[in-house]
Amino acid sequence: MLKQQFKMNRLSASLALLMGVGTLPLAIAEEEQSADEQNVEVIEVRGIKGSLFRSMDLKRGSAGVVDAISAEELGKFPDTNLAESLQRITGVTVSRSNGEGSEITVRGFGPQFNLITLNGRSMPGTGYTRSYALENLSSESVKTLEVIKTGRADLPTGGLGATINIITRQPLDSPGQSFTLSAKGIYDESNVEGDDVTPEVSAIYGNTFLDDRFGFLVTASHQERDFQQQTANSQGWIAQTDNSRLPDIGDKGVDGRARDADGNLIPLFRDAEGNMVSPFFVPRDMNYSINDVQRERTNAMATLQYEPIDGLTFTADYVYTRALTGINGFGWGIWNSSTEGSPMVGYEFDENGTAVYTDIRGGDGSFTANRSTTEVNAESIGFNVEWDASEDWVFTLDYHDSSNEIDNGADKGLGSAAQVILGSDQLQSKVYDYRSGEVPHTTINWNNGTTQLNPGEIDSNFSQFIHSPGKTEIQQGQLDAQWYPSFNSLDSLAKVEFGAAYTKQTMTGTTAWSGLRGGPGFNPSYTEIFPDSMFHLQSTSGLLDELAGGGADLLPPYYYTFDFDEAIARQLAFITPEVAGENYYSINPYFDGIDSSNFIEEETYALFLTSQWAFDIGDIPVNVNLGLRYESTDVTSTVKQRVERQVVWASPTEWITQYSDGDSFLTQTGEYDVWLPMLDINAEVYEDVVVRFSASKTIARPLLGDMVAGRSLSGSPKIGSRTGFLGNPGLLPLESINLDVSLEYYYDEASYASIGFFNKDVDNFVSNSINQVTIDGLHDVYNSPRYLEAISQLEAAGTEVTENTIFDQMIANGYGNADGQIAPLSTDPLIVWDVTSPVNSDKKSVHGIEVAVQHVFGETGFGVGVNGTFVSGDVEFDPYSLAQQAPLAGLGDSANFQVFYEMDGLSVKATYAWRDDYLIGVGQSQGSADAPPQFAKDFGQLDASINYDVNEHVTLFLEGINITNETEQGYGRFEEQFLFARQYGSRYMFGGRLRF
């Protein structure tokens, strides 16, 4: 229990009694309270105003910098999930998944730098991350959300940006019987294939017995949501510094880069060696997609509490989550096999060298059907004993065992995530045009003399089936003792807490990949197995119509859909071993066994000691919290990986890695220890004016996926995409020295204003280093003597030189094998791979200012809340450097606005959350080796809700999410380097709540 002392006028005392917050009370000696203060009439404040009361009281009574959101009343939270609730807090922004808040960024530090705890317990992340996906946890059982922004010695580590503690309801906190039932219908205006209205039902039941010494609380919820995601996407941009590769095409080539008086390019960029260069940038591809999504989420929580004697409480709890997401989608687009410049027959570069228009020979166009069902199962079982042994001593034992399991093969028919890619490489050139609008346009000039492919010309490119299940588990125990000295020589010492903790976290995962089945790459051709009737011509007139250049203006104006099951059945029937040899069609991801498996274990032992002091300096009450935490961590990673044998050129647009029989095993270890001191000081310098100072050292642990041992190389290493990954179990945690100073003025009921400054000096930043390496035995057909020979022959014959014509010439020269592929020779050069590896880098600083105002206009029922965070530092990405960089993902300004009215049972609230442009991360899936960035454009979302209490038992409500139908957009080094645009639509919920 944290003890804080403040001056208490009548208002402050009233608030303390009204709120009754047990975790962070305001402590005042009885002898200092006036009779008036002890006889304040207690009136329960509910609804929005009551929530603001409680949240403000938590903020004011905290030792360090803490912000919170309190549930407005039983079973009622202001947003659709916990992440969206958290974004109302100063300095907190959300990352979105499928149009919903998912993971959070605090003070510019992204999800991997923040720790999610449930009642003070670390929760396992989903997949290879430590980030707990908050959209998978419903809010029905949640009492309070705390965002702890400064270091705390008694909490688990990992929250460099913040620790987010989810506090659930406890049955003995609310004696007696209570029941709440809520039901709503969800209307998602983007939905096309699913149900127009889907249900969400939740219930809470709690009761106490045996003179309120035994109690239980059960919550359950089930939500279904059907919606459509519309997307335009480019997988990456390639930087080319060799301008001699640009062809001389006269007025068909427009170069907007700056030149000197002699016509020479003026270099604006620096390469990895520091040389000034003038690169041009070309997109690897451009594609569009429509995904119909069905999502179900089921949550349940049960809590039992028993207090056999005064001061001894046993608590057991169980949390269960199951989230199921099914996707059926179609995509279409272009692929540029070569982006070096030579195959261009038209281009336009802007002043930064970005191609806003290209016309490129070679490559292909495709129509893709994809299907997947992903299931997430999360469980947590916990046990807690709290014993108030005496007036001076409290002992607590806490243990939990939690897991988070993800399986992308929950589709029982497939057992994998699948793509079926059909299309053609029979084209003259492909046009990319981003000279106007918010969405690039593409046009393919087919060999049939038109810009539209005929159904009879559609061929099999390839299909692939991937199964990659994974599981993360945490076992965690903590024993601590709290001493409240009733008498001692140091009257100012209020509390001493010390203890020990143990955490074991493991992650396991496997990957099975079918390889590229059914050809691949239109080689050989199988157009005859697909009848014209299988393909259905569709218009793009309704795609991305909220964006300029989308909808009816979008090019291409058409795409084809086809039956996923029929396409698979036909290829299974026709592309057999007798026809295709080793490239025969199979839907089995375990076609040749498990491609890789990994295991990582992390054990941490911790000791901590904190002390709290309360004293006066003159008339100013001062509170001091001083603590120290020590942790020692051991890491072990074991992997099974396949051994690459060779890379074959399977078709003009496809390269395939082939593997040796047998697997290799590798085990690597790492270890580190840290000392984490912390100091919090707060003082009420004037009545209701609080000044805070905090200094602490905190850490964020490396991503679990980065610490997996071993090396993996791309199974589809196309030219310009020869990539790999090398894990690093020896990564050290990021260590941050933090300083916080804030001023807070609590000037009226549920009203306050605050301003704070923070600075974080972070060491051991983890950055992705991309190294170009060669591996013995892996030779390259590309630029081999045979490859260069074919180019010379084509040039001599006056034939266009593209990947297609080079491949065909090499086959004509007799270099193909029995499967029509070109295998490497031992005399060929070694393949140069761009291998990414996470490494600890240098120290960087982040600083910022947080401001917040919350005001309730007396008894009018109106209120407003505004907050903003402005951050900066030496961690930003420099778009004019081609050297690999280690910036901070997530850094950006943010602001939140809230207005509400609540009176006579009617409450109306509107909230607007805004986030400025920010860096998503470095590295693009098909970008060049310089690890180009991914930026998100600024985004603002307007939500609103109306609640009406028919009587004390029944409430009706209407909610709107993303009312203005905002879209998400992203780009590379510059806004002209388009990466994605996503459109989800608005959502509306209507329903009622029943309380007893």
Side-chain angles (χ1 to χ4, degrees):
M1 182 179 295
L2 301 180
K3 295 187 176 181
Q4 303 287 298
Q5 65 169 6
F6 294 101
K7 299 174 183 176
M8 296 284 282
N9 58 17
R10 183 181 180 88
L11 171 61
S12 300
S14 300
L15 291 178
L17 290 171
L18 288 171
M19 298 305 98
V21 179
T23 56
L24 297 170
L26 306 178
I28 287 190
E30 289 188 17
E31 63 269 22
E32 295 180 359
Q33 296 184 26
S34 68
D36 287 342
E37 290 172 335
Q38 295 181 29
N39 295 297
V40 175
E41 180 182 5
V42 178
I43 302 173
E44 183 183 11
V45 182
R46 300 177 63 186
I48 299 174
K49 193 171 182 179
S51 173
L52 297 179
F53 269 137
R54 291 186 288 272
S55 298
M56 188 182 77
D57 198 52
L58 284 165
K59 178 181 180 69
R60 181 175 183 174
S62 64
V65 179
V66 178
D67 285 296
I69 291 182
S70 176
E72 295 179 23
E73 54 191 68
L74 194 63
K76 180 182 175 184
F77 239 87
D79 301 289
T80 57
N81 65 40
L82 298 183
E84 293 181 350
S85 296
L86 283 165
Q87 74 176 334
R88 312 302 175 198
I89 289 178
T90 308
V92 178
T93 55
V94 301
S95 303
R96 299 181 183 278
S97 175
N98 295 324
E100 296 183 36
S102 174
E103 299 174 331
I104 68 167
T105 294
V106 182
R107 293 177 162 183
F109 287 84
Q112 67 269 34
F113 303 114
N114 302 306
L115 177 68
I116 307 293
T117 63
L118 183 67
N119 295 319
R121 302 162 175 169
S122 300
M123 299 302 293
T126 304
Y128 289 93
T129 75
R130 298 182 187 271
S131 303
Y132 190 79
L134 288 168
E135 83 271 18
N136 288 337
L137 186 63
S138 65
S139 60
E140 278 70 26
S141 60
V142 176
K143 178 181 179 181
T144 305
L145 296 173
E146 292 181 336
V147 178
I148 304 166
K149 299 177 180 177
T150 50
R152 290 266 295 271
D154 58 323
L155 290 180
T157 55
L160 186 150
T163 297
I164 295 87
N165 189 27
I166 304 168
I167 301 174
T168 59
R169 305 178 187 277
Q170 304 294 318
L172 295 187
D173 290 344
S174 303
Q177 180 174 243
S178 62
F179 174 69
T180 299
L181 176 65
S182 177
K184 67 176 69 172
I186 303 173
Y187 170 72
D188 197 313
E189 68 175 17
S190 71
N191 175 67
V192 175
E193 296 296 329
D195 295 330
D196 289 336
V197 178
T198 54
E200 179 175 346
V201 181
S202 63
I204 308 173
Y205 179 74
N207 207 346
T208 56
F209 308 91
L210 302 176
D211 296 326
D212 297 327
R213 289 190 176 275
F214 175 78
F216 71 90
L217 182 71
V218 178
T219 68
S221 69
H222 179 76
Q223 180 198 77
E224 298 179 12
R225 180 187 169 205
D226 296 345
F227 62 98
Q228 185 177 88
Q229 178 197 65
Q230 299 181 358
T231 302
N233 181 73
S234 176
Q235 295 185 80
W237 286 76
I238 309 299
Q240 300 288 355
T241 57
D242 185 1
N243 286 282
S244 67
R245 302 297 298 175
L246 283 173
D248 183 8
I249 53 177
D251 58 4
K252 293 184 178 180
V254 178
D255 195 338
R257 291 176 290 178
R259 295 178 182 269
D260 61 22
D262 297 324
N264 299 314
L265 288 169
I266 300 175
L268 302 177
F269 295 76
R270 290 187 181 275
D271 64 16
E273 286 73 39
N275 303 311
M276 298 300 296
V277 292
S278 296
F280 61 92
F281 303 91
V282 181
R284 168 61 76 184
D285 68 345
M286 185 64 210
N287 55 80
Y288 313 85
S289 64
I290 294 176
N291 290 314
D292 292 301
V293 185
Q294 292 181 308
R295 175 179 167 85
E296 296 181 7
R297 184 193 68 196
T298 302
N299 282 129
M301 181 173 181
T303 304
L304 299 176
Q305 279 191 302
Y306 180 46
E307 187 180 14
I309 59 175
D310 289 344
L312 180 62
T313 304
F314 297 90
T315 304
D317 55 69
Y318 174 74
V319 181
Y320 171 76
T321 297
R322 179 178 182 264
L324 196 66
T325 304
I327 300 176
N328 278 290
F330 284 95
W332 59 98
I334 61 172
W335 172 264
N336 294 323
S337 295
S338 174
T339 55
E340 62 180 1
S342 59
M344 289 186 181
V345 293
Y347 62 83
E348 182 176 337
F349 301 145
D350 68 6
E351 64 274 12
N352 290 316
T354 298
V356 294
Y357 170 87
T358 60
D359 190 355
I360 303 179
R361 300 189 301 264
D364 59 49
S366 63
F367 304 98
T368 301
N370 60 279
R371 177 179 295 176
S372 67
T373 303
T374 300
E375 182 175 10
V376 175
N377 283 288
E379 293 183 283
S380 178
I381 185 168
F383 183 71
N384 181 280
V385 180
E386 183 173 327
W387 179 33
D388 293 347
S390 67
E391 292 184 359
D392 295 347
W393 287 95
V394 177
F395 299 95
T396 305
L397 173 65
D398 189 88
Y399 175 80
H400 77 104
D401 188 334
S402 303
S403 64
N404 198 327
E405 190 169 3
I406 184 170
D407 184 1
N408 69 337
D411 186 311
K412 303 306 179 183
L414 284 171
S416 65
Q419 280 186 314
V420 177
I421 303 177
L422 309 180
S424 177
D425 61 354
Q426 300 303 301
L427 53 83
Q428 294 296 318
S429 67
K430 309 169 305 301
V431 174
Y432 169 93
D433 193 346
Y434 193 33
R435 291 175 291 188
S436 63
E438 297 177 290
V439 185
H441 291 183
T442 60
T443 301
I444 300 178
N445 299 306
W446 296 103
N447 286 345
N448 62 22
T450 73
T451 58
Q452 180 171 314
L453 192 67
N454 295 319
E457 298 171 309
I458 298 178
D459 200 353
S460 170
N461 190 355
F462 63 84
S463 300
Q464 59 181 339
F465 305 86
I466 301 172
H467 188 212
S468 52
K471 185 176 184 180
T472 303
E473 298 177 278
I474 293 180
Q475 291 86 40
Q476 187 174 59
Q478 179 165 308
L479 175 64
D480 70 78
Q482 303 174 41
W483 175 45
Y484 298 89
S486 56
F487 62 90
N488 58 80
S489 58
L490 296 174
D491 293 338
S492 58
L493 180 60
K495 173 185 173 183
V496 175
E497 182 176 3
F498 55 92
Y502 169 76
T503 303
K504 179 181 178 181
Q505 179 160 330
T506 60
M507 182 197 72
T508 56
T510 60
T511 299
W513 178 49
S514 65
L516 306 182
R517 314 312 311 162
F522 317 109
N523 178 45
S525 176
Y526 298 117
T527 55
E528 69 277 3
I529 70 176
F530 304 115
D532 291 4
S533 60
M534 195 180 98
F535 300 101
H536 307 282
L537 187 66
Q538 309 288 346
S539 169
T540 62
S541 60
L543 180 70
L544 298 170
D545 52 9
E546 291 294 319
L547 296 165
D553 297 325
L554 186 65
L555 294 176
Y558 81 100
Y559 65 99
Y560 284 108
T561 59
F562 53 88
D563 185 87
F564 181 91
D565 295 319
E566 181 181 357
I568 286 182
R570 288 185 173 277
Q571 291 178 94
L572 283 172
F574 289 95
I575 310 178
T576 62
E578 292 75 20
V579 173
E582 292 184 356
N583 288 319
Y584 71 90
Y585 199 82
S586 172
I587 66 171
N588 182 13
Y590 298 89
F591 173 79
D592 52 2
I594 295 176
D595 291 277
S596 67
S597 64
N598 56 71
F599 168 82
I600 186 168
E601 179 181 272
E602 183 180 78
E603 286 188 292
T604 299
Y605 297 86
L607 298 172
F608 64 89
L609 171 68
T610 66
S611 62
Q612 296 180 27
W613 307 75
F615 50 87
D616 293 334
I617 299 178
D619 293 331
I620 299 176
V622 178
N623 301 282
V624 177
N625 189 15
L626 182 64
L628 178 66
R629 186 180 184 93
Y630 169 77
E631 289 194 346
S632 175
T633 299
D634 295 311
V635 179
T636 302
S637 177
T638 301
V639 297
K640 181 183 78 170
Q641 57 189 19
R642 307 184 68 185
V643 179
E644 299 86 1
R645 177 169 56 88
Q646 66 177 3
V647 173
V648 299
W649 194 5
S651 72
T653 58
E654 299 300 334
W655 299 70
I656 298 177
T657 302
Q658 297 178 339
Y659 301 90
S660 302
D661 294 334
D663 301 301
S664 65
F665 290 85
L666 176 66
T667 298
Q668 293 180 318
T669 61
E671 61 180 7
Y672 56 85
D673 58 1
V674 291
W675 292 90
L676 304 173
M678 51 80 60
L679 170 66
D680 294 320
I681 303 174
N682 61 66
E684 189 170 4
V685 293
Y686 297 102
E687 188 174 283
D688 296 323
V689 177
V690 178
V691 175
R692 298 183 192 275
F693 171 81
S694 293
S696 63
K697 183 178 181 181
T698 55
I699 66 170
R701 301 182 189 277
L703 297 177
L704 290 172
D706 286 347
M707 300 174 71
V708 172
R711 185 203 69 216
S712 60
L713 300 176
S714 171
S716 180
K718 302 174 183 180
I719 297 174
S721 301
R722 273 80 184 275
T723 59
F725 182 81
L726 178 64
N728 185 358
L731 283 174
L732 298 175
L734 287 77
E735 300 181 5
S736 177
I737 304 297
N738 316 298
L739 293 176
D740 283 81
V741 180
S742 65
L743 176 66
E744 302 159 7
Y745 178 33
Y746 301 90
Y747 59 88
D748 206 344
E749 293 185 1
S751 300
Y752 74 92
S754 68
I755 183 169
F757 169 81
F758 64 87
N759 185 83
K760 294 178 179 289
D761 292 324
V762 185
D763 202 1
N764 296 333
F765 251 96
V766 176
S767 62
N768 286 324
S769 172
I770 301 180
N771 299 306
Q772 293 189 324
V773 301
T774 58
I775 299 169
D776 290 342
L778 295 183
H779 295 270
D780 202 349
V781 174
Y782 177 63
N783 279 338
S784 67
R786 295 172 295 162
Y787 188 96
L788 298 176
E789 175 193 27
I791 292 177
S792 298
Q793 292 171 335
L794 293 170
E795 291 176 341
T799 305
E800 293 180 347
V801 178
T802 67
E803 278 74 9
N804 302 62
T805 57
I806 296 172
F807 184 88
D808 292 341
Q809 183 65 46
M810 291 182 70
I811 293 293
N813 290 343
Y815 297 136
N817 60 22
D819 295 321
Q821 302 171 341
I822 303 173
L825 302 176
S826 60
T827 55
D828 291 342
L830 294 174
I831 297 176
V832 178
W833 300 87
D834 295 325
V835 177
T836 300
S837 183
V839 296
N840 290 114
S841 60
D842 54 356
K843 180 182 294 187
K844 297 180 182 296
S845 296
V846 176
H847 52 268
I849 295 176
E850 295 180 332
V851 294
V853 176
Q854 178 176 292
H855 183 74
V856 175
F857 295 91
E859 301 302 321
T860 66
F862 288 97
V864 63
V866 180
N867 64 65
T869 302
F870 310 94
V871 295
S872 60
D874 58 356
V875 290
E876 298 182 359
F877 189 93
D878 180 5
Y880 290 96
S881 172
L882 300 184
Q884 295 173 30
Q885 303 177 49
L888 174 62
L891 189 71
D893 298 338
S894 62
N896 296 291
F897 306 88
Q898 175 179 253
V899 294
F900 69 88
Y901 172 80
E902 187 172 54
M903 186 71 70
D904 299 327
L906 174 66
S907 66
V908 181
K909 180 167 59 177
T911 59
Y912 182 78
W914 173 83
R915 185 176 187 180
D916 202 2
D917 290 26
Y918 69 94
L919 178 71
I920 300 172
V922 294
Q924 300 167 3
S925 61
Q926 294 292 339
S928 48
D930 53 278
Q934 300 178 55
F935 284 100
K937 285 188 178 181
D938 68 298
F939 180 87
Q941 179 168 302
L942 177 64
D943 305 329
S945 64
I946 302 174
N947 287 262
Y948 179 67
D949 295 332
V950 178
N951 53 46
E952 62 178 331
H953 300 297
V954 178
T955 298
L956 301 178
F957 55 83
L958 173 65
E959 301 168 348
I961 304 296
N962 192 18
I963 295 174
T964 56
N965 194 6
E966 298 297 324
T967 59
E968 302 171 18
Q969 300 179 59
Y971 58 93
R973 293 179 179 275
F974 311 101
E975 289 194 19
E976 293 76 17
Q977 294 183 7
F978 177 90
L979 287 181
F980 65 82
R982 302 172 187 141
Q983 181 173 311
Y984 294 95
S986 304
R987 279 176 288 151
Y988 298 93
M989 285 75 72
F990 53 91
R993 185 177 296 107
L994 181 66
R995 295 183 300 271
F996 290 101

